[in-house]
Amino acid sequence: QVQLVESGGGSVQAGGSLRLSCASSQYSVNSGRLAWFRQAPGKEREGVAAVTGDGRTNYQSSVEDRFTISKDNTNNTLYLQMDRLKLEDTAMYYCAAGLRYGWLPLSLQPAAYVYWGQGTQVTVSS
């Protein structure tokens, strides 16, 4: 059974940095088809970044110059480095894995992914 466990969230001041981790079991991050999503209170879940097996990436435009998605195949872990955090980055962050049939790689649509973690909270304050 695939398990994705996020960690690394917390509270940080605007302009600061956090690195989120997503430890995967029974799903090889080497295969890619991985993504980070976030959901703020009262808002829909939105895609933040995605990565393929060969390291190609896709970012939501609001984060593409501040966030970096990466994966460690040895440790079977997905990461999201978040720099220059803004108030509007406050949300619960989720990792997702495994594209559903018919969806293109690097999709940032929640419906595209099969497996989900429980989330880690990121709170950015002024």
Side-chain angles (χ1 to χ4, degrees):
Q1 183 174 350
V2 173
Q3 282 194 318
L4 303 173
V5 180
E6 301 95 336
S7 61
S11 297
V12 64
Q13 288 192 320
S17 298
L18 283 174
R19 188 176 81 155
L20 306 184
S21 299
C22 174
S24 173
S25 63
Q26 303 303 317
Y27 183 92
S28 173
V29 301
N30 186 48
S31 67
R33 297 168 290 168
L34 299 157
W36 285 98
F37 289 81
R38 66 186 181 186
Q39 188 167 18
K43 294 189 176 182
E44 293 187 353
R45 190 169 297 191
E46 61 177 4
V48 175
V51 63
T52 62
D54 60 0
R56 288 175 292 138
T57 58
N58 183 32
Y59 295 93
Q60 182 194 109
S61 59
S62 70
V63 308
E64 62 184 342
D65 61 343
R66 300 184 294 119
F67 291 8
T68 303
I69 187 172
S70 63
K71 59 187 179 69
D72 183 334
N73 296 334
T74 300
N75 292 317
N76 214 33
T77 301
L78 178 70
Y79 299 102
L80 184 69
Q81 177 67 40
M82 305 186 296
D83 298 317
R84 303 195 307 278
L85 282 159
K86 301 178 180 180
L87 298 179
E88 53 264 42
D89 295 319
T90 294
M92 185 72 80
Y93 282 72
Y94 301 88
C95 64
L99 274 178
R100 297 186 187 277
Y101 179 78
W103 288 89
L104 294 175
L106 298 174
S107 175
L108 292 180
Q109 295 297 318
Y113 293 89
V114 177
Y115 306 109
W116 291 84
Q118 293 300 307
T120 185
Q121 177 68 38
V122 172
T123 303
V124 184
S125 60
S126 59

PDB file of all heavy atoms in Angstrom, residues 4-10 18-24 36 77-82 92-95 117-122:
ATOM      1  N   LEU A   4       2.441   8.142   1.562  1.00  0.00           N
ATOM      2  CA  LEU A   4       3.184   9.382   1.389  1.00  0.00           C
ATOM      3  C   LEU A   4       3.060  10.177   2.682  1.00  0.00           C
ATOM      4  O   LEU A   4       1.942  10.444   3.139  1.00  0.00           O
ATOM      5  CB  LEU A   4       2.619  10.195   0.224  1.00  0.00           C
ATOM      6  CG  LEU A   4       2.578   9.504  -1.141  1.00  0.00           C
ATOM      7  CD1 LEU A   4       1.838  10.376  -2.150  1.00  0.00           C
ATOM      8  CD2 LEU A   4       3.978   9.192  -1.629  1.00  0.00           C
ATOM      9  N   VAL A   5       4.197  10.537   3.263  1.00  0.00           N
ATOM     10  CA  VAL A   5       4.188  11.240   4.544  1.00  0.00           C
ATOM     11  C   VAL A   5       4.963  12.540   4.401  1.00  0.00           C
ATOM     12  O   VAL A   5       6.186  12.524   4.219  1.00  0.00           O
ATOM     13  CB  VAL A   5       4.785  10.374   5.657  1.00  0.00           C
ATOM     14  CG1 VAL A   5       4.759  11.138   6.976  1.00  0.00           C
ATOM     15  CG2 VAL A   5       4.027   9.055   5.781  1.00  0.00           C
ATOM     16  N   GLU A   6       4.244  13.649   4.539  1.00  0.00           N
ATOM     17  CA  GLU A   6       4.868  14.962   4.439  1.00  0.00           C
ATOM     18  C   GLU A   6       5.412  15.408   5.790  1.00  0.00           C
ATOM     19  O   GLU A   6       4.876  15.033   6.848  1.00  0.00           O
ATOM     20  CB  GLU A   6       3.866  16.013   3.954  1.00  0.00           C
ATOM     21  CG  GLU A   6       3.240  15.749   2.610  1.00  0.00           C
ATOM     22  CD  GLU A   6       1.906  15.064   2.702  1.00  0.00           C
ATOM     23  OE1 GLU A   6       1.655  14.395   3.732  1.00  0.00           O
ATOM     24  OE2 GLU A   6       1.085  15.194   1.771  1.00  0.00           O
ATOM     25  N   SER A   7       6.438  16.243   5.733  1.00  0.00           N
ATOM     26  CA  SER A   7       6.996  16.864   6.943  1.00  0.00           C
ATOM     27  C   SER A   7       7.690  18.155   6.529  1.00  0.00           C
ATOM     28  O   SER A   7       7.882  18.417   5.330  1.00  0.00           O
ATOM     29  CB  SER A   7       7.974  15.921   7.644  1.00  0.00           C
ATOM     30  OG  SER A   7       9.063  15.615   6.802  1.00  0.00           O
ATOM     31  N   GLY A   8       8.065  18.931   7.539  1.00  0.00           N
ATOM     32  CA  GLY A   8       8.828  20.142   7.264  1.00  0.00           C
ATOM     33  C   GLY A   8       8.024  21.425   7.295  1.00  0.00           C
ATOM     34  O   GLY A   8       8.596  22.515   7.169  1.00  0.00           O
ATOM     35  N   GLY A   9       6.733  21.323   7.466  1.00  0.00           N
ATOM     36  CA  GLY A   9       5.937  22.532   7.560  1.00  0.00           C
ATOM     37  C   GLY A   9       6.179  23.248   8.875  1.00  0.00           C
ATOM     38  O   GLY A   9       6.858  22.737   9.767  1.00  0.00           O
ATOM     39  N   GLY A  10       5.629  24.447   8.975  1.00  0.00           N
ATOM     40  CA  GLY A  10       5.784  25.215  10.200  1.00  0.00           C
ATOM     41  C   GLY A  10       5.404  26.650   9.983  1.00  0.00           C
ATOM     42  O   GLY A  10       4.793  27.006   8.968  1.00  0.00           O
ATOM     43  N   LEU A  18      11.417  27.465   3.858  1.00  0.00           N
ATOM     44  CA  LEU A  18      11.109  26.157   4.426  1.00  0.00           C
ATOM     45  C   LEU A  18      11.399  25.102   3.376  1.00  0.00           C
ATOM     46  O   LEU A  18      11.283  25.375   2.178  1.00  0.00           O
ATOM     47  CB  LEU A  18       9.640  26.050   4.845  1.00  0.00           C
ATOM     48  CG  LEU A  18       9.186  26.728   6.128  1.00  0.00           C
ATOM     49  CD1 LEU A  18       7.667  26.616   6.264  1.00  0.00           C
ATOM     50  CD2 LEU A  18       9.860  26.130   7.347  1.00  0.00           C
ATOM     51  N   ARG A  19      11.729  23.906   3.833  1.00  0.00           N
ATOM     52  CA  ARG A  19      11.850  22.787   2.910  1.00  0.00           C
ATOM     53  C   ARG A  19      10.908  21.682   3.362  1.00  0.00           C
ATOM     54  O   ARG A  19      11.028  21.164   4.476  1.00  0.00           O
ATOM     55  CB  ARG A  19      13.279  22.241   2.837  1.00  0.00           C
ATOM     56  CG  ARG A  19      13.420  21.201   1.735  1.00  0.00           C
ATOM     57  CD  ARG A  19      14.833  20.702   1.545  1.00  0.00           C
ATOM     58  NE  ARG A  19      15.187  19.675   2.513  1.00  0.00           N
ATOM     59  CZ  ARG A  19      16.123  18.752   2.293  1.00  0.00           C
ATOM     60  NH1 ARG A  19      16.769  18.727   1.139  1.00  0.00           N
ATOM     61  NH2 ARG A  19      16.418  17.865   3.236  1.00  0.00           N
ATOM     62  N   LEU A  20       9.993  21.343   2.503  1.00  0.00           N
ATOM     63  CA  LEU A  20       9.064  20.262   2.771  1.00  0.00           C
ATOM     64  C   LEU A  20       9.622  18.951   2.227  1.00  0.00           C
ATOM     65  O   LEU A  20      10.276  18.936   1.182  1.00  0.00           O
ATOM     66  CB  LEU A  20       7.711  20.540   2.120  1.00  0.00           C
ATOM     67  CG  LEU A  20       7.046  21.861   2.464  1.00  0.00           C
ATOM     68  CD1 LEU A  20       5.668  21.936   1.813  1.00  0.00           C
ATOM     69  CD2 LEU A  20       6.956  22.070   3.956  1.00  0.00           C
ATOM     70  N   SER A  21       9.330  17.883   2.943  1.00  0.00           N
ATOM     71  CA  SER A  21       9.730  16.551   2.509  1.00  0.00           C
ATOM     72  C   SER A  21       8.498  15.667   2.399  1.00  0.00           C
ATOM     73  O   SER A  21       7.523  15.857   3.126  1.00  0.00           O
ATOM     74  CB  SER A  21      10.705  15.918   3.517  1.00  0.00           C
ATOM     75  OG  SER A  21      11.872  16.679   3.642  1.00  0.00           O
ATOM     76  N   CYS A  22       8.580  14.700   1.509  1.00  0.00           N
ATOM     77  CA  CYS A  22       7.508  13.726   1.345  1.00  0.00           C
ATOM     78  C   CYS A  22       8.170  12.359   1.207  1.00  0.00           C
ATOM     79  O   CYS A  22       8.741  12.043   0.155  1.00  0.00           O
ATOM     80  CB  CYS A  22       6.668  14.047   0.121  1.00  0.00           C
ATOM     81  SG  CYS A  22       5.419  12.797  -0.286  1.00  0.00           S
ATOM     82  N   ALA A  23       8.112  11.591   2.269  1.00  0.00           N
ATOM     83  CA  ALA A  23       8.699  10.257   2.255  1.00  0.00           C
ATOM     84  C   ALA A  23       7.704   9.263   1.675  1.00  0.00           C
ATOM     85  O   ALA A  23       6.551   9.210   2.097  1.00  0.00           O
ATOM     86  CB  ALA A  23       9.085   9.849   3.674  1.00  0.00           C
ATOM     87  N   SER A  24       8.176   8.510   0.718  1.00  0.00           N
ATOM     88  CA  SER A  24       7.292   7.588   0.016  1.00  0.00           C
ATOM     89  C   SER A  24       7.636   6.139   0.344  1.00  0.00           C
ATOM     90  O   SER A  24       8.807   5.765   0.404  1.00  0.00           O
ATOM     91  CB  SER A  24       7.427   7.799  -1.491  1.00  0.00           C
ATOM     92  OG  SER A  24       6.711   6.812  -2.209  1.00  0.00           O
ATOM     93  N   TRP A  36       3.449  18.548  -5.864  1.00  0.00           N
ATOM     94  CA  TRP A  36       3.038  19.203  -4.628  1.00  0.00           C
ATOM     95  C   TRP A  36       1.805  20.041  -4.917  1.00  0.00           C
ATOM     96  O   TRP A  36       1.737  20.731  -5.936  1.00  0.00           O
ATOM     97  CB  TRP A  36       4.141  20.106  -4.094  1.00  0.00           C
ATOM     98  CG  TRP A  36       5.281  19.383  -3.468  1.00  0.00           C
ATOM     99  CD1 TRP A  36       6.475  19.067  -4.042  1.00  0.00           C
ATOM    100  CD2 TRP A  36       5.347  18.892  -2.122  1.00  0.00           C
ATOM    101  NE1 TRP A  36       7.279  18.406  -3.151  1.00  0.00           N
ATOM    102  CE2 TRP A  36       6.600  18.287  -1.960  1.00  0.00           C
ATOM    103  CE3 TRP A  36       4.474  18.911  -1.032  1.00  0.00           C
ATOM    104  CZ2 TRP A  36       7.017  17.698  -0.756  1.00  0.00           C
ATOM    105  CZ3 TRP A  36       4.858  18.330   0.151  1.00  0.00           C
ATOM    106  CH2 TRP A  36       6.117  17.733   0.292  1.00  0.00           C
ATOM    107  N   THR A  77      12.413  10.079  -1.555  1.00  0.00           N
ATOM    108  CA  THR A  77      11.775  11.243  -0.943  1.00  0.00           C
ATOM    109  C   THR A  77      11.641  12.369  -1.962  1.00  0.00           C
ATOM    110  O   THR A  77      12.548  12.610  -2.754  1.00  0.00           O
ATOM    111  CB  THR A  77      12.581  11.727   0.273  1.00  0.00           C
ATOM    112  OG1 THR A  77      12.675  10.662   1.228  1.00  0.00           O
ATOM    113  CG2 THR A  77      11.927  12.929   0.927  1.00  0.00           C
ATOM    114  N   LEU A  78      10.518  13.040  -1.896  1.00  0.00           N
ATOM    115  CA  LEU A  78      10.242  14.221  -2.707  1.00  0.00           C
ATOM    116  C   LEU A  78      10.405  15.453  -1.837  1.00  0.00           C
ATOM    117  O   LEU A  78      10.046  15.424  -0.651  1.00  0.00           O
ATOM    118  CB  LEU A  78       8.812  14.146  -3.245  1.00  0.00           C
ATOM    119  CG  LEU A  78       8.300  15.314  -4.077  1.00  0.00           C
ATOM    120  CD1 LEU A  78       8.999  15.355  -5.427  1.00  0.00           C
ATOM    121  CD2 LEU A  78       6.786  15.218  -4.245  1.00  0.00           C
ATOM    122  N   TYR A  79      10.917  16.534  -2.412  1.00  0.00           N
ATOM    123  CA  TYR A  79      11.141  17.763  -1.657  1.00  0.00           C
ATOM    124  C   TYR A  79      10.485  18.956  -2.344  1.00  0.00           C
ATOM    125  O   TYR A  79      10.262  18.955  -3.559  1.00  0.00           O
ATOM    126  CB  TYR A  79      12.637  18.043  -1.521  1.00  0.00           C
ATOM    127  CG  TYR A  79      13.406  16.984  -0.786  1.00  0.00           C
ATOM    128  CD1 TYR A  79      14.169  16.052  -1.475  1.00  0.00           C
ATOM    129  CD2 TYR A  79      13.368  16.913   0.600  1.00  0.00           C
ATOM    130  CE1 TYR A  79      14.873  15.072  -0.808  1.00  0.00           C
ATOM    131  CE2 TYR A  79      14.070  15.936   1.282  1.00  0.00           C
ATOM    132  CZ  TYR A  79      14.816  15.018   0.569  1.00  0.00           C
ATOM    133  OH  TYR A  79      15.506  14.043   1.241  1.00  0.00           O
ATOM    134  N   LEU A  80      10.232  19.968  -1.535  1.00  0.00           N
ATOM    135  CA  LEU A  80       9.828  21.268  -2.067  1.00  0.00           C
ATOM    136  C   LEU A  80      10.570  22.323  -1.260  1.00  0.00           C
ATOM    137  O   LEU A  80      10.268  22.540  -0.081  1.00  0.00           O
ATOM    138  CB  LEU A  80       8.321  21.483  -1.973  1.00  0.00           C
ATOM    139  CG  LEU A  80       7.829  22.786  -2.608  1.00  0.00           C
ATOM    140  CD1 LEU A  80       7.987  22.727  -4.128  1.00  0.00           C
ATOM    141  CD2 LEU A  80       6.365  23.065  -2.247  1.00  0.00           C
ATOM    142  N   GLN A  81      11.545  22.939  -1.883  1.00  0.00           N
ATOM    143  CA  GLN A  81      12.264  24.049  -1.267  1.00  0.00           C
ATOM    144  C   GLN A  81      11.495  25.326  -1.556  1.00  0.00           C
ATOM    145  O   GLN A  81      11.256  25.651  -2.719  1.00  0.00           O
ATOM    146  CB  GLN A  81      13.682  24.146  -1.830  1.00  0.00           C
ATOM    147  CG  GLN A  81      14.477  25.318  -1.295  1.00  0.00           C
ATOM    148  CD  GLN A  81      14.804  25.194   0.179  1.00  0.00           C
ATOM    149  OE1 GLN A  81      15.126  24.121   0.670  1.00  0.00           O
ATOM    150  NE2 GLN A  81      14.693  26.311   0.904  1.00  0.00           N
ATOM    151  N   MET A  82      11.123  26.025  -0.500  1.00  0.00           N
ATOM    152  CA  MET A  82      10.324  27.239  -0.646  1.00  0.00           C
ATOM    153  C   MET A  82      11.110  28.419  -0.091  1.00  0.00           C
ATOM    154  O   MET A  82      11.423  28.456   1.108  1.00  0.00           O
ATOM    155  CB  MET A  82       8.997  27.087   0.099  1.00  0.00           C
ATOM    156  CG  MET A  82       8.199  25.850  -0.319  1.00  0.00           C
ATOM    157  SD  MET A  82       6.564  25.774   0.434  1.00  0.00           S
ATOM    158  CE  MET A  82       7.002  25.614   2.154  1.00  0.00           C
ATOM    159  N   MET A  92      -2.201  24.352   3.642  1.00  0.00           N
ATOM    160  CA  MET A  92      -1.799  22.976   3.883  1.00  0.00           C
ATOM    161  C   MET A  92      -1.184  22.476   2.574  1.00  0.00           C
ATOM    162  O   MET A  92      -1.784  22.651   1.504  1.00  0.00           O
ATOM    163  CB  MET A  92      -3.001  22.124   4.251  1.00  0.00           C
ATOM    164  CG  MET A  92      -2.655  20.693   4.634  1.00  0.00           C
ATOM    165  SD  MET A  92      -1.834  20.590   6.238  1.00  0.00           S
ATOM    166  CE  MET A  92      -3.273  20.729   7.305  1.00  0.00           C
ATOM    167  N   TYR A  93      -0.013  21.877   2.688  1.00  0.00           N
ATOM    168  CA  TYR A  93       0.702  21.399   1.503  1.00  0.00           C
ATOM    169  C   TYR A  93       0.655  19.874   1.478  1.00  0.00           C
ATOM    170  O   TYR A  93       0.900  19.204   2.486  1.00  0.00           O
ATOM    171  CB  TYR A  93       2.142  21.874   1.529  1.00  0.00           C
ATOM    172  CG  TYR A  93       2.284  23.319   1.116  1.00  0.00           C
ATOM    173  CD1 TYR A  93       1.858  24.340   1.959  1.00  0.00           C
ATOM    174  CD2 TYR A  93       2.816  23.664  -0.118  1.00  0.00           C
ATOM    175  CE1 TYR A  93       1.958  25.664   1.582  1.00  0.00           C
ATOM    176  CE2 TYR A  93       2.926  24.991  -0.510  1.00  0.00           C
ATOM    177  CZ  TYR A  93       2.497  25.982   0.340  1.00  0.00           C
ATOM    178  OH  TYR A  93       2.591  27.296  -0.044  1.00  0.00           O
ATOM    179  N   TYR A  94       0.354  19.352   0.290  1.00  0.00           N
ATOM    180  CA  TYR A  94       0.207  17.917   0.090  1.00  0.00           C
ATOM    181  C   TYR A  94       1.140  17.439  -1.022  1.00  0.00           C
ATOM    182  O   TYR A  94       1.280  18.120  -2.040  1.00  0.00           O
ATOM    183  CB  TYR A  94      -1.218  17.562  -0.327  1.00  0.00           C
ATOM    184  CG  TYR A  94      -2.286  17.972   0.640  1.00  0.00           C
ATOM    185  CD1 TYR A  94      -2.870  19.234   0.579  1.00  0.00           C
ATOM    186  CD2 TYR A  94      -2.730  17.083   1.625  1.00  0.00           C
ATOM    187  CE1 TYR A  94      -3.871  19.613   1.464  1.00  0.00           C
ATOM    188  CE2 TYR A  94      -3.723  17.456   2.515  1.00  0.00           C
ATOM    189  CZ  TYR A  94      -4.275  18.719   2.430  1.00  0.00           C
ATOM    190  OH  TYR A  94      -5.262  19.084   3.320  1.00  0.00           O
ATOM    191  N   CYS A  95       1.701  16.262  -0.843  1.00  0.00           N
ATOM    192  CA  CYS A  95       2.388  15.647  -1.972  1.00  0.00           C
ATOM    193  C   CYS A  95       1.449  14.615  -2.593  1.00  0.00           C
ATOM    194  O   CYS A  95       0.572  14.063  -1.921  1.00  0.00           O
ATOM    195  CB  CYS A  95       3.711  15.020  -1.574  1.00  0.00           C
ATOM    196  SG  CYS A  95       3.616  13.648  -0.423  1.00  0.00           S
ATOM    197  N   GLY A 117      -0.667  12.332   0.317  1.00  0.00           N
ATOM    198  CA  GLY A 117      -0.298  12.351   1.718  1.00  0.00           C
ATOM    199  C   GLY A 117      -1.343  13.085   2.538  1.00  0.00           C
ATOM    200  O   GLY A 117      -2.345  13.569   2.001  1.00  0.00           O
ATOM    201  N   GLN A 118      -1.082  13.174   3.839  1.00  0.00           N
ATOM    202  CA  GLN A 118      -2.031  13.812   4.760  1.00  0.00           C
ATOM    203  C   GLN A 118      -1.830  15.316   4.864  1.00  0.00           C
ATOM    204  O   GLN A 118      -2.697  16.021   5.392  1.00  0.00           O
ATOM    205  CB  GLN A 118      -1.907  13.171   6.141  1.00  0.00           C
ATOM    206  CG  GLN A 118      -2.354  11.724   6.163  1.00  0.00           C
ATOM    207  CD  GLN A 118      -3.805  11.575   5.759  1.00  0.00           C
ATOM    208  OE1 GLN A 118      -4.696  12.208   6.309  1.00  0.00           O
ATOM    209  NE2 GLN A 118      -4.059  10.741   4.752  1.00  0.00           N
ATOM    210  N   GLY A 119      -0.704  15.800   4.407  1.00  0.00           N
ATOM    211  CA  GLY A 119      -0.474  17.232   4.398  1.00  0.00           C
ATOM    212  C   GLY A 119       0.389  17.731   5.545  1.00  0.00           C
ATOM    213  O   GLY A 119       0.483  17.101   6.600  1.00  0.00           O
ATOM    214  N   THR A 120       1.007  18.878   5.320  1.00  0.00           N
ATOM    215  CA  THR A 120       1.785  19.568   6.342  1.00  0.00           C
ATOM    216  C   THR A 120       1.475  21.056   6.227  1.00  0.00           C
ATOM    217  O   THR A 120       1.422  21.606   5.129  1.00  0.00           O
ATOM    218  CB  THR A 120       3.289  19.270   6.195  1.00  0.00           C
ATOM    219  OG1 THR A 120       4.004  19.861   7.281  1.00  0.00           O
ATOM    220  CG2 THR A 120       3.852  19.789   4.881  1.00  0.00           C
ATOM    221  N   GLN A 121       1.250  21.691   7.365  1.00  0.00           N
ATOM    222  CA  GLN A 121       0.797  23.079   7.375  1.00  0.00           C
ATOM    223  C   GLN A 121       1.972  24.037   7.254  1.00  0.00           C
ATOM    224  O   GLN A 121       2.979  23.896   7.964  1.00  0.00           O
ATOM    225  CB  GLN A 121       0.025  23.366   8.666  1.00  0.00           C
ATOM    226  CG  GLN A 121      -0.432  24.802   8.818  1.00  0.00           C
ATOM    227  CD  GLN A 121      -1.505  25.182   7.805  1.00  0.00           C
ATOM    228  OE1 GLN A 121      -2.375  24.377   7.478  1.00  0.00           O
ATOM    229  NE2 GLN A 121      -1.453  26.417   7.321  1.00  0.00           N
ATOM    230  N   VAL A 122       1.814  25.012   6.393  1.00  0.00           N
ATOM    231  CA  VAL A 122       2.777  26.102   6.257  1.00  0.00           C
ATOM    232  C   VAL A 122       2.038  27.410   6.558  1.00  0.00           C
ATOM    233  O   VAL A 122       1.011  27.699   5.937  1.00  0.00           O
ATOM    234  CB  VAL A 122       3.369  26.148   4.833  1.00  0.00           C
ATOM    235  CG1 VAL A 122       4.212  27.400   4.647  1.00  0.00           C
ATOM    236  CG2 VAL A 122       4.198  24.894   4.576  1.00  0.00           C
TER     237      VAL A 122
END
